[in-house]
Amino acid sequence: MKKFLSLILTALLLLSATAALADSIVIAVPNDPTNEGRALLLLEANGIIKLDPEAGVTATKDDVIWNPLGIEFYEVEAAMVPNVLPDVDYAIINNNFALDFGLNPVADSLLIESAESPYANVLCVNAGNENTDAAKALVAALTSQKVADFITATYEGAAVSVVAEPTDGFDPTVDYAALAGTKITVAASPTPHAQILAIAKEILAEKGVELQVIEFSDYIQPNMVVDAGEVFANYFAHIPYQDNFNAENGTKIVVVAPIHVEPMGLYGGKQADLSVLTVPAAE
């Protein structure tokens, strides 16, 4: 019911906004600080806008200092951006939500980040837990060659492993005999994080360790349950988001391993191509 009401509210807000912006190019962007900044940086990298150089990764639409096409930015909760795509000219969507919506980031996006994007998705735990056997065993499983191969074969560029030296799935410093029979809990987004964790689960099971994946569809709860100690780890977000979350909330959630990157893309809604985003040469 809560999700349904959120959809209705988003639709009503969009109708109001698009009515007022009928003569403008409207691009929907995620409304959380680092993902909105990331979306705007994608447009800047393609010469469509310019941002205040001091804004950094937490840039918002208010930091746009050059906008020759008069683009209007419609800020939407990240998970809801795909739902408004048909009603805007374009939308910039996080890959996990694009995949959930049935979009192929490589084939369907009109613009996409380089695979060398600095926004690596990471495994995180509370400070103080990073050197435990549970954390090290989970890191070894997620940074394994088996997981890297799964990411490459399954996502074909929509997600790219960033692990430079994959393991065999196990950490020789871990006492797996003592860890056997225990359960490690991880909060994760459904796609692709929970899918990737399913491979890690198979690896850990070889040592008698149970991995329980708890899925969340938003970007807040995975951090809150780790901070509260209800869940051991999370795997859903990128490094700038986690850094900003800690700064704003006073949490001490630390990165234990970068696993993959999901290049963010711009998708056509009312527009089928990039022709209306062409900046005149005189500009």
Side-chain angles (χ1 to χ4, degrees), residues 38-234:
R38 183 181 182 183
L40 296 173
L41 285 166
L42 174 62
L43 295 176
E44 183 177 54
N46 285 276
I48 297 168
I49 62 170
K50 288 182 182 178
L51 296 167
D52 183 337
E54 297 184 1
V57 296
T58 58
T60 72
K61 64 181 183 180
D62 295 332
D63 296 304
V64 177
I65 59 174
W66 184 73
N67 184 6
L69 298 175
I71 296 167
E72 297 288 346
F73 298 99
Y74 182 58
E75 298 165 313
V76 186
E77 181 185 351
M80 306 301 294
V81 177
N83 294 288
V84 305
L85 180 59
D87 301 306
V88 295
D89 293 292
Y90 304 96
I92 301 179
I93 308 174
N94 290 81
N95 270 20
N96 56 316
F97 297 128
L99 289 166
D100 283 341
F101 197 68
L103 294 169
N104 181 321
V106 176
D108 297 331
S109 64
L110 301 176
L111 293 174
I112 195 166
E113 289 175 329
S114 162
E116 283 72 46
S117 163
Y119 296 89
N121 280 227
V122 289
L123 177 70
C124 296
V125 298
N126 264 333
N129 288 333
E130 58 266 44
N131 293 315
T132 61
D133 273 1
K136 291 191 290 184
L138 185 53
V139 168
L142 273 175
T143 59
S144 66
Q145 187 66 56
K146 186 174 182 180
V147 165
D149 290 344
F150 172 81
I151 291 172
T152 299
T154 304
Y155 304 110
E156 299 180 325
V160 180
S161 173
V162 297
V163 178
E165 298 181 3
T167 73
D168 62 357
F170 306 105
D171 184 329
T173 70
V174 170
D175 185 348
Y176 284 98
L179 203 57
T182 62
K183 179 190 294 185
I184 300 173
T185 54
V186 184
S189 299
T191 309
H193 305 84
Q195 297 168 343
I196 294 170
L197 283 164
I199 307 304
K201 182 175 183 176
E202 296 174 359
I203 295 170
L204 290 168
E206 295 180 33
K207 297 293 187 179
V209 180
E210 179 184 354
L211 180 63
Q212 181 183 10
V213 180
I214 305 166
E215 297 185 10
F216 292 90
S217 61
D218 70 280
Y219 281 172
I220 304 297
Q221 289 302 310
N223 276 333
M224 299 308 294
V225 293
V226 169
D227 179 60
E230 298 169 8
V231 177
F232 180 73
N234 67 43

Side-chain angles (χ1 to χ4, degrees), residues 29-37 59 76-78 94 219 238 241 244:
V29 296
N31 67 359
D32 61 274
T34 56
N35 281 308
E36 180 170 0
V76 186
E77 181 185 351
N94 290 81
Y219 281 172
H238 52 66
Y241 179 88
N244 186 71

